[in-house]
Amino acid sequence: MKKTKNIAMLLIILFTSIAGAQVQFQTRVSKKTLGLNERLRVDFSMNKDGDNFNPPSFDGFDVVGGPNQSVSNSWINGKRSFEKTYSYFLSPKRMGSLMLESASIEIDGQTYKTNAIVIKVTKEIQKPKDPNTAVASDNIHLVAEISNANPYLNEAITVVYKLYVAPNTGVSNWRETDDPEYDDFWSQHINPKGLKIERGQYKGEDYQYVILRRTVLYPQKTGKLIIEPLKLDVTAEIPTKRRDIFGQRLMSKVNVPVTAGRRTINVKPLPETGKPLDFSGAVGDFKFNLSISKSELNANESMQAKVIVSGKGNLKLLALPKLTLPNSLEVYEPEHNENVRTNLSGMQGEVSDSYTIVPQYKGKYPIPTISFSYFDLKTESYKRLSSNETIINVLEGPVYGVSDNNLTAEGAEKRDVVLNNDQFAFIKMDANLVSKNNTQFFKSTLFWVSLLTPLLLIPLAIVFRRKKEERDGDIVGNRLRKADKLAKKYLGEAKKALGEKEAFYVALEKALHNYLKAKLNIETSDLSKDKIRTLLLEKQVDTTVVSNFENILKNCEIARYTPITKVAMQQDYDKAASAINLIDKQIR
């Protein structure tokens, strides 16, 4: 009986140790029921380090923070405990039951997935106002500056969206929650080339601001038109009274909704006095021209006539005047071309219709005058531009009016029809056919190549297979190559995330850690600063390079809690790339 109890106890201990060694990868949420105006924290945690983490799509949610990565190592009674966590902060888009899909990760060559979780979203709930949110709301403002609130119909106006931030407040990220569609306007966005921080004033106080977007609008209706507001969700950083070990103030992060406000544009109609009957809606300052490719040609030859309107105004919205020609000229449908660029002052360039003309008979044909009218914004009056009359001289060809029975118009001579012996030379009377099966495949060049090529490829296949077996058997080398590949991948992700502080520094830290795993043959759990320094110095890496590498890792930790500009992120990225390059050259 005692022996049976001992065996049972051993089995329990063995089962417990095996269960404790199993990989655990799970999803934890801060709450399963929340209001539409609340935030949800989602943690994906694992008890063993892995690679290629893929989060779910978060359908039905907006990601307002993360991913934040944390690693925990502890030893209790001689037993090691490890946990690695990826954290996200989500904002629900709608009410109802929303599904958090599975996340996946690779651990020791196996792919693990978490279970899906259903989150119930209710209507907005009343929450006590956070004092930090109130401070951030007072220090962050989104403004829509309009160049002209009282334009004419089809006159260009510009809307510039500026985000003003007080000097004692930082902004680490923002996202658009509502994008205006500009109903009743023709619109085009002009994205700024990089975000440049500038100094200015908001309501008489000194602020810093960045230009988020510029939009050019052409009103298509008269009267009062509404420009719906642009809305943002801004991640603000407010200084607290606490300080870190370096003496710098710790920052508190809050999410603040800001809006540019609805704007009303009063669009004036174009005056009826003096409006031409052929006016097509052109508004601006234009030039008009009619050009032809040649003025003399023979019958059945082609030429081009081009109607061109150039200048500044609503070029993409106007109609060009049509070209009217005599019936004896064959005219094809015009080819429309636009060479227009849009900047803050509106459209500039030219639009044209190119006509292909083929005369059928000898003679002189006039191209009549055509005109183009537009509304001039400078003089607030209508103007008309006209082309000059042009003559097309067809030098050789049949005379218009000559019939098939040699009857001609008055003054024309009769001519006998003379048949040429080569008149129907294009019709081949004798066939010169060649057999399609004039060669045999057997013993041909293609036959011998097809026969011998597989035999020649056998030695190459044997060599390739041996090399592959050697590579597959190199477990350490494969692991190093995989880690090196991941380092390059994360460094590329860090470059793409420039300007997004959290994502950038998470990706940069991953790249540095995976690089060290490749070069030093260590695991993530062993990545302590002292061990990194010791191993790099043992590999004969210069002390200055090691110190620079440590400073970059320190920046990745500190940057998450302090305001960082895009310029500083670019500098950290360049330093990381330079340090990796120098270590590659020096390591032994």
Side-chain angles (χ1 to χ4, degrees):
M1 185 69 178
K2 186 176 180 181
K3 185 177 181 180
T4 304
K5 289 183 178 180
N6 291 337
I7 294 175
M9 185 63 68
L10 289 173
L11 290 175
I12 292 173
I13 294 172
L14 180 62
F15 176 78
T16 305
S17 62
I18 293 174
Q22 288 181 346
V23 174
Q24 295 180 0
F25 181 44
Q26 59 185 348
T27 302
R28 296 194 299 261
V29 295
S30 58
K31 56 181 73 175
K32 291 188 176 181
T33 301
L34 71 156
L36 189 60
N37 58 337
E38 290 187 297
R39 299 291 187 264
L40 175 70
R41 173 171 175 161
V42 182
D43 294 332
F44 301 99
S45 63
M46 64 209 74
N47 65 345
K48 196 171 183 180
D49 193 18
D51 296 311
N52 295 335
F53 170 72
N54 290 315
S57 61
F58 298 118
D59 185 30
F61 295 91
D62 286 324
V63 179
V64 297
N68 298 330
Q69 179 182 337
S70 62
V71 177
S72 173
N73 276 300
S74 62
W75 292 86
I76 301 175
N77 297 327
K79 184 179 179 181
R80 177 177 176 268
S81 175
F82 174 85
E83 184 179 50
K84 184 176 182 181
T85 305
Y86 293 94
S87 300
Y88 291 83
F89 296 88
L90 309 179
S91 172
K93 294 181 179 179
R94 60 181 183 273
M95 293 189 297
S97 296
L98 305 181
M99 178 73 74
L100 274 179
E101 302 291 343
S102 300
S104 65
I105 196 166
E106 292 182 9
I107 300 176
D108 295 336
Q110 296 291 327
T111 300
Y112 294 86
K113 292 186 178 182
T114 62
N115 294 327
I117 297 178
V118 176
I119 304 297
K120 184 178 180 180
V121 181
T122 62
K123 63 181 181 179
E124 294 184 357
I125 63 174
Q126 295 293 332
K127 297 188 298 182
K129 193 169 184 181
D130 185 357
N132 288 333
T133 304
V135 171
S137 299
D138 293 337
N139 292 343
I140 300 176
H141 309 279
L142 181 62
V143 178
E145 296 182 355
I146 298 182
S147 61
N148 185 3
N150 192 28
Y152 277 105
L153 180 69
N154 268 319
E155 179 182 358
I157 62 174
T158 305
V159 183
V160 180
Y161 294 95
K162 295 182 179 179
L163 183 64
Y164 284 88
V165 182
N168 62 341
T169 305
V171 171
S172 60
N173 195 13
W174 61 80
R175 63 181 181 86
E176 295 183 2
T177 57
D178 196 353
D179 186 8
E181 296 182 356
Y182 306 110
D183 294 335
D184 302 323
F185 292 92
W186 181 95
S187 63
Q188 181 167 332
H189 296 312
I190 302 177
N191 294 323
K193 296 181 179 179
L195 296 177
K196 182 180 179 182
I197 300 176
E198 301 183 33
R199 297 185 180 275
Q201 286 196 335
Y202 178 78
K203 294 185 177 180
E205 297 183 5
D206 292 333
Y207 271 75
Q208 294 177 333
Y209 71 89
V210 292
I211 297 177
L212 302 181
R213 180 196 291 183
R214 298 181 177 96
T215 304
V216 176
L217 303 176
Y218 282 85
Q220 301 299 293
K221 289 175 60 178
T222 59
K224 292 184 178 181
L225 304 183
I226 303 298
I227 297 180
E228 296 297 332
L230 173 66
K231 296 181 181 179
L232 304 177
D233 185 69
V234 179
T235 303
E237 298 179 342
I238 307 298
T240 64
K241 295 181 179 180
R242 296 181 297 142
R243 296 181 181 272
D244 59 15
I245 59 175
F246 302 101
Q248 298 180 347
R249 286 187 180 273
L250 294 176
M251 308 296 286
S252 175
K253 286 188 177 182
V254 293
N255 287 90
V256 183
V258 294
T259 178
R262 178 179 293 184
R263 302 296 300 271
T264 302
I265 307 297
N266 187 20
V267 182
K268 299 179 293 186
L270 299 176
E272 294 295 329
T273 304
K275 179 185 287 188
L277 296 176
D278 61 349
F279 178 69
S280 62
V283 177
D285 184 13
F286 301 103
K287 294 180 180 179
F288 177 67
N289 184 35
L290 171 62
S291 64
I292 58 175
S293 59
K294 59 180 78 171
S295 58
E296 293 184 348
L297 71 164
N298 296 327
N300 294 321
E301 290 183 357
S302 66
M303 59 168 290
Q304 279 73 41
K306 183 180 288 189
V307 179
I308 305 172
V309 172
S310 61
K312 176 182 176 183
N314 59 334
L315 289 165
K316 293 185 178 181
L317 306 175
L318 56 83
L320 295 174
K322 298 297 182 181
L323 189 63
T324 303
L325 297 173
N327 292 333
S328 54
L329 297 177
E330 186 176 357
V331 184
Y332 294 88
E333 285 294 320
E335 178 184 355
H336 186 74
N337 293 296
E338 295 181 355
N339 182 15
V340 180
R341 61 187 181 279
T342 305
N343 52 31
L344 290 180
S345 60
M347 302 183 202
Q348 295 182 10
E350 70 173 34
V351 293
S352 64
D353 282 342
S354 182
Y355 295 81
T356 298
I357 303 172
V358 180
Q360 303 296 314
Y361 302 99
K362 178 180 179 180
K364 294 185 177 181
Y365 303 93
I367 297 180
T369 299
I370 58 174
S371 61
F372 171 74
S373 59
Y374 68 95
F375 182 75
D376 188 357
L377 292 170
K378 294 180 180 178
T379 61
E380 297 188 354
S381 62
Y382 294 96
K383 291 187 176 180
R384 178 179 294 278
L385 302 174
S386 300
S387 66
N388 296 324
E389 184 177 289
T390 306
I391 302 296
I392 300 175
N393 187 12
V394 182
L395 302 176
E396 297 181 4
V399 177
Y400 180 76
V402 177
S403 61
D404 294 338
N405 57 2
N406 293 336
L407 295 177
T408 66
E410 184 178 352
E413 298 179 357
K414 291 184 178 181
R415 298 187 215 167
D416 294 330
V417 177
V418 180
L419 295 178
N420 192 333
N421 292 332
D422 297 329
Q423 186 172 2
F424 299 101
F426 64 92
I427 301 177
K428 299 296 183 181
M429 305 302 294
D430 297 326
N432 186 18
L433 303 179
V434 178
S435 174
K436 294 175 65 177
N437 300 318
N438 58 348
T439 58
Q440 293 183 353
F441 176 70
F442 183 67
K443 293 186 179 182
S444 65
T445 302
L446 182 60
F447 169 80
W448 292 113
V449 170
S450 302
L451 181 64
L452 297 177
T453 299
L455 299 177
L456 297 176
L457 290 177
I458 290 175
L460 295 177
I462 294 173
V463 173
F464 176 79
R465 183 175 179 179
R466 288 178 179 176
K467 291 292 184 181
K468 187 177 184 302
E469 289 176 350
E470 292 177 2
R471 186 181 181 91
D472 293 341
D474 185 10
I475 299 175
V476 176
N478 287 335
R479 187 160 58 83
L480 295 180
R481 282 189 288 270
K482 183 178 180 181
D484 192 40
K485 181 179 179 181
L486 286 173
K488 293 179 181 179
K489 170 189 172 184
Y490 286 126
L491 199 58
E493 291 179 357
K495 188 172 184 179
K496 294 177 183 178
L498 276 171
E500 302 176 9
K501 187 178 71 172
E502 292 288 345
F504 171 77
Y505 281 104
V506 168
L508 185 62
E509 190 174 24
K510 286 182 180 179
L512 297 177
H513 284 175
N514 281 282
Y515 174 75
L516 290 175
K517 288 167 62 177
K519 292 298 179 182
L520 303 180
N521 191 19
I522 58 176
E523 297 296 334
T524 303
S525 55
D526 297 328
L527 287 176
S528 64
K529 295 180 180 178
D530 293 337
K531 188 166 185 177
I532 292 172
R533 184 176 184 85
T534 301
L535 290 175
L536 288 176
L537 292 176
E538 289 177 355
K539 298 288 186 180
Q540 302 181 17
V541 179
D542 189 72
T543 307
T544 305
V545 178
V546 176
S547 299
N548 291 340
F549 196 88
E550 290 177 335
N551 290 335
I552 297 169
L553 289 173
K554 185 185 296 182
N555 287 348
C556 291
E557 297 174 0
I558 298 174
R560 299 181 186 178
Y561 309 101
T562 57
I564 296 292
T565 63
K566 187 175 181 180
V567 176
M569 295 183 197
Q570 182 66 53
Q571 291 175 351
D572 285 338
Y573 177 84
D574 294 338
K575 290 178 182 177
S578 176
I580 289 175
N581 186 32
L582 291 173
I583 292 174
D584 273 336
K585 293 179 180 178
Q586 297 178 10
I587 199 166
R588 296 291 185 268

